Amino acid sequence: AAAVSQFEALEYEANFFEAEYEKKIGAINTAIGAVSDAGSKDIVLTYDASVPPQGFNVSVSGDKLIVAASDDDGIFYGWRYVIQQLLINGSVSAASQSPSVLERSISLDNGRKYYSVEWIKELIREMSWSNMNTLVLHFSEEMGLGLETKLYPWLNGRDGRLCTQATLSENFDDRYLTQDELREIAAYAKAYHVELVPSLDSPGHMNYIVYMFNQQAKKEGGFTFTYDGK
């Protein structure tokens, strides 16, 4: 089968579809062109302005399967629906789907706990199969800072005991996402139509950061950092 469209902008989604289809079902060839050029038993990806945002219509026209959407998000969800139906049922039924809300999110707390790049990528893939499109990455918490700061590198990490004001010890967890790793995650999320939303707690939930500033002040001298807990 081939995925075809008269719009060059669909080439990326067609290639992505081909790669995912081959990974889960078997080899498939994709091509870009006019809908009228579609051959027997081809899968057609095309735009239709009447479809609601992020929605899709899957229909059968003769011996062709057509996935139509008004935007690239809808095209993405539409072809993933096709793969899901083939995996579950062995065939594809006509369907029209559109979301009730345009933002469907998960919040991941990287401040309290470290999550690796590969773990977050797997989460993004799982989100995309459920048509979820927003990942809130929470970096700053009472227990730590999960995103690299190059200006204050001694802030990177967390109190591994999840204790906000105790002295840090061998339980200190120095793992965190680097800025380059976050760029990698952002590019990966974009491919799967997932938007990243950074979350940094302030002025509350600052005990770890305040503690670490005071520790650094003792080492360096010349400055103080106070915070009354309110």
Side-chain angles (χ1 to χ4, degrees), residues 154 207-219 223-227:
W154 34 268
N207 279 317
Y208 167 84
I209 290 177
V210 171
Y211 178 87
M212 294 300 286
F213 260 101
N214 283 328
Q215 291 295 98
Q216 192 68 17
K218 292 177 183 178
K219 295 178 182 178
F223 72 92
T224 58
F225 195 89
T226 58
Y227 174 65

Side-chain angles (χ1 to χ4, degrees), residues 3-16 31-33 45-47 70-73 75-76 79 193:
V4 298
S5 170
Q6 58 186 327
F7 300 97
E8 286 293 327
L10 290 179
E11 184 173 4
Y12 174 83
E13 291 301 333
N15 290 337
F16 199 175
I32 300 298
L45 308 182
T46 188
Y47 291 122
S70 61
D71 53 33
D72 294 336
D73 291 332
I75 292 292
F76 176 78
W79 67 249
H193 294 252

Side-chain angles (χ1 to χ4, degrees), residues 132 138 205:
M132 302 190 75
H138 186 60
H205 290 230

Side-chain angles (χ1 to χ4, degrees), residues 75-136:
I75 292 292
F76 176 78
Y77 299 133
W79 67 249
R80 284 174 94 71
Y81 167 83
V82 169
I83 291 178
Q84 286 175 314
Q85 289 296 302
L86 289 172
L87 288 172
I88 296 170
N89 302 317
S91 60
V92 181
S93 301
S96 293
Q97 294 184 12
S98 59
S100 300
V101 293
L102 295 182
E103 183 178 283
R104 303 169 298 283
S105 65
I106 287 178
S107 179
L108 185 67
D109 191 339
N110 295 267
R112 288 182 172 88
K113 182 178 179 180
Y114 171 76
Y115 295 92
S116 69
V117 173
E118 289 308 314
W119 195 97
I120 295 174
K121 285 182 176 180
E122 182 176 356
L123 174 62
I124 289 169
R125 291 194 300 272
E126 292 300 319
M127 288 176 61
S128 73
W129 285 112
S130 299
N131 293 6
M132 302 190 75
N133 64 358
T134 306
L135 176 58
V136 179

